[in-house]
Amino acid sequence: MSLFGTSGIRGKVEENITPELAQKIGIAIGNYVNNLVCVGRDTRSSGEMLSKALISGINSSGVDVINLGIVPTPIIGFSTRKSESEMGIIITASHNPAQYNGIKIWNSDGSALNRKQEKELEKIIEDYNLSNWKNIGNVSKRSYTRDYIDSVVKEIDLNNNYDVVIDSGNATGFISSYVHRELGNHVLTLNSDPAKEFSRGLEPNENNLTELSNVVKETDADIGIAHDGDSDRIGVIDSDGEFVQYDVLLALISNYVSNKEVVSTVDASMILDQYLDVPVFRTKVGDVAVAHSIKERTADFGGEPSGTWIFPEWQLTPDGIYAGAKVVEMIDKLLDLSVLKEKVPEFFTVRKKIECPNEKKAEVQKEIESLVLERFNFDDLVTVDGVRVESEDFWVLFRPSGTEPYFRITLESESKDKVDEIKRKSEEVVKDALKSIK
Ligand code: MG
C-alpha cells in the first residue's frame, strides 16, 4: 500500500483521509516504535476525529501517547525532542483547504521520516500485532508551547523593537504573535482566531496576503509575517507593503544564516548561486529531502522556495515561527527588507501549475520527456525529480505535485523575452502531453 507523498499522507477527508486510515497508521506506528510518541493537530474541523482514531491505533499496539492538542508542526518537532518521544505525528494538510487533512510523521531528532521508513510503515499496515489487554498504551496531555516560546525568544537577538503584523489565517500560526510580543516587538494580529474557519488561502503567497499587505501599509508597520496551516512555512511583506518574492527572501536568509553550505531544491532559483558566497547543494523537492541532505552533508541551513526553511542548529523540523523571528533579527542586524531585497540579483521566474489527475502523472511525465527532446534546444536534461531542462540562458522544470492534482512548471531566465518564450513552449508541452494520454 503506497500512502506517502512528498510531504506525508494527504487527501480529502470525505474521500481517503478517514478515521479507519488514521487508526491503521496508528497501529503501524505503535508496531514500529517501543514506548512513546507525541501527537498533535492543526485547527481543521476533522483534526480531533482523526487524532482520536490515530491515538487509539497507537495505544492498541501498546505504545503511550502524549497528546499535544492543537499545535504547529515546529512545536511537534520541539516536543518530540523535549519529551524524548520516539516519533512526533501531526494531523495537518499544511496549506491545503479545510476539507483536506493528512498525517505527517517526524523522527526523534525532528527530521521527517525518509522514504525507507515510510515503506517500512506501509509494510506493517499489511501485517501487524496488537497488544494484549494488560499492555494497552495510555494517553497523557502535556504542553511544551511555553517552553518552545521561551526557547525561540532566547535564541533571537534584537537591539530594537519592531512593528510586526502577524497573519495566521486562523490556523496554528498565532503562536508567532506570542513570540514577537515577548521579543519586545509591537504586534498587530490578523486572522488570529484558531476557533474560526480559515480566512484566506493558507499558502502564504502573494495572492493570499493582500490583506496583510494593506494592513502593513495602513499601519506603517516594519514587517508582515504569514504562515500556512501548520506553520512550517513563512511568507513576508516588507515595510513598503510589498510581498518579498520567495526566492529573494530565501537568498537573503541563507546569506544571513549560513557560513558553510546551503541545501535547496531543484526548483529553487539561480539567484541563490549568484547571491551566496557559500556552496548551494540541490536536492529533490520537499522538506523531507532537504532535511536529510542537511543531515548527510552537515550543512548549516536548508530552504525551499516555498518558504519552508530548516535551521539545523535550532531543529531539523521546518519552522515558520522561528523563521519569522529570524527574519526580524536579520532586519535588526542588517537593513530593512525593502533595502536588502534590492541587493539581490533579478531574474525572471515563473511558476505555473496545470491540472493533471494523479493517476496520469507518471505517463504525462514520460511524454513530457520525449516532447522536450523534440522541442527544446538545451545543454542538459536532469531527471532526478521531474524533468529539468538546462541551457545557458534559461532552465525549466516540469514536475508532478506530490500533494495535489497538478503538474508544475518552474522556469527562469535573466531575459524577460526568453522567459515568455519558454513559458509558452512549456505550457504547450504539458498540455500536449496531457492530450496524448487517454
Ligand atoms: Mg506546511
Side-chain angles (χ1 to χ4, degrees):
M1 189 194 297
S2 174
L3 289 168
F4 293 86
T6 44
S7 203
I9 296 158
R10 215 180 287 176
K12 276 193 183 154
V13 171
E14 311 91 89
E15 288 168 13
N16 42 3
I17 305 297
T18 59
E20 289 92 334
L21 175 76
Q23 194 182 42
K24 272 187 193 163
I25 291 164
I27 292 170
I29 290 168
N31 275 257
Y32 194 89
V33 303
N34 296 309
N35 298 307
L36 181 67
V37 297
C38 281
V39 173
R41 59 185 165 93
D42 73 11
T43 58
R44 283 158 215 272
S45 57
S46 57
E48 188 167 14
M49 164 192 85
L50 292 168
S51 125
K52 281 177 174 161
L54 179 85
I55 291 172
S56 115
I58 297 169
N59 286 160
S60 71
S61 15
V63 168
D64 292 343
V65 171
I66 296 175
N67 186 0
L68 300 166
I70 291 176
V71 280
T73 282
I75 295 188
I76 293 279
F78 184 86
S79 309
T80 302
R81 281 180 295 117
K82 287 281 164 179
S83 61
E84 297 182 6
S85 291
E86 294 159 86
M87 276 183 179
I89 303 125
I90 185 159
I91 295 178
T92 179
S94 195
H95 64 270
N96 290 59
Q99 65 267 38
Y100 285 76
N101 217 331
I103 297 172
K104 193 154 178 186
I105 308 170
W106 310 88
N107 288 303
S108 57
D109 67 356
S111 66
L113 292 201
N114 62 30
R115 190 67 202 115
K116 185 171 157 264
Q117 293 177 299
E118 289 174 349
K119 284 217 165 107
E120 284 162 2
L121 273 183
E122 283 166 355
K123 233 173 122 188
I124 300 175
I125 293 174
E126 312 283 330
D127 179 24
Y128 57 82
N129 297 308
L130 292 181
S131 163
N132 69 28
W133 65 273
K134 276 191 244 168
N135 297 315
I136 289 165
N138 58 43
V139 191
S140 58
K141 279 199 173 161
R142 239 186 275 173
S143 171
Y144 292 88
T145 301
R146 180 70 264 162
D147 195 1
Y148 171 85
I149 294 170
D150 290 343
S151 302
V152 177
V153 169
K154 224 168 100 191
E155 288 280 318
I156 302 295
D157 177 34
L158 296 185
N159 295 323
N160 299 296
N161 305 329
Y162 297 87
D163 292 334
V164 182
V165 188
I166 308 279
D167 177 358
S168 59
N170 290 339
T172 59
F174 62 92
I175 300 290
S176 257
S177 42
Y178 292 88
V179 166
H180 285 275
R181 278 197 188 103
E182 295 190 21
L183 281 167
N185 295 325
H186 176 249
V187 176
L188 196 65
T189 58
L190 194 65
N191 304 316
S192 188
D193 187 347
K196 285 190 180 155
E197 287 194 8
F198 300 141
S199 50
R200 57 162 167 84
L202 283 180
E203 195 158 10
N205 62 20
E206 191 166 6
N207 279 345
N208 292 331
L209 301 186
T210 48
E211 192 187 2
L212 177 62
S213 154
N214 290 336
V215 173
V216 168
K217 262 189 265 179
E218 278 164 22
T219 60
D220 208 16
D222 297 304
I223 187 170
I225 294 170
H227 301 295
D228 67 328
D230 64 326
S231 306
D232 59 345
R233 289 172 64 178
I234 183 179
V236 171
I237 303 288
D238 71 13
S239 59
D240 292 336
E242 280 178 23
F243 180 79
V244 185
Q245 294 304 324
Y246 277 135
D247 294 293
V248 171
L249 192 64
L250 180 59
L252 288 172
I253 196 74
S254 300
N255 184 54
Y256 177 60
V257 170
S258 172
N259 296 306
K260 196 178 167 201
E261 186 183 50
V262 168
V263 171
S264 194
T265 47
V266 286
D267 62 341
S269 164
M270 298 188 275
I271 292 175
L272 272 184
D273 313 75
Q274 294 234 344
Y275 188 66
L276 299 182
D277 299 325
V278 297
V280 178
F281 177 79
R282 277 168 210 272
T283 179
K284 279 181 158 191
V285 172
D287 64 274
V288 178
V290 173
H292 288 278
S293 287
I294 290 176
K295 268 212 286 195
E296 250 172 55
R297 310 177 63 83
T298 61
D300 55 356
F301 180 73
E304 287 193 89
S306 57
T308 316
W309 302 345
I310 297 172
F311 302 84
E313 281 179 15
W314 165 241
Q315 65 171 341
L316 282 168
T317 314
D319 190 334
I321 293 167
Y322 183 84
K326 208 70 187 168
V327 171
V328 175
E329 186 190 85
M330 173 173 77
I331 296 172
D332 187 69
K333 295 286 171 283
L334 305 176
L335 289 162
D336 189 69
L337 265 182
S338 60
V339 183
L340 277 179
K341 73 179 190 190
E342 298 302 323
K343 297 176 185 292
V344 178
E346 250 193 86
F347 282 89
F348 296 96
T349 313
V350 173
R351 293 195 160 86
K352 286 243 15 156
K353 49 184 190 182
I354 295 175
E355 272 184 50
C356 172
N358 288 332
E359 62 278 9
K360 285 192 182 173
K361 282 174 178 171
E363 278 182 274
V364 169
Q365 178 163 330
K366 255 192 208 153
E367 185 60 25
I368 287 174
E369 234 180 290
S370 66
L371 289 176
V372 155
L373 290 172
E374 289 166 22
R375 298 187 192 177
F376 284 90
N377 287 320
F378 57 85
D379 303 328
D380 209 358
L381 185 75
V382 185
T383 53
V384 174
D385 189 12
V387 183
R388 184 175 156 123
V389 178
E390 294 177 5
S391 152
E392 212 170 274
D393 56 350
F394 76 89
W395 64 267
V396 52
L397 173 73
F398 302 88
R399 191 181 160 276
S401 163
T403 51
E404 290 171 293
Y406 291 109
F407 225 95
R408 296 187 191 280
I409 306 172
T410 312
L411 61 108
E412 188 170 58
S413 172
E414 276 180 277
S415 138
K416 173 89 176 76
D417 290 346
K418 193 77 194 174
V419 155
D420 291 341
E421 176 205 326
I422 300 298
K423 180 177 167 235
R424 187 178 40 77
K425 275 171 89 172
S426 305
E427 282 173 346
E428 272 170 24
V429 162
V430 177
K431 282 177 185 157
D432 291 347
L434 267 164
K435 255 186 251 161
S436 73
I437 287 145
K438 286 282 158 285

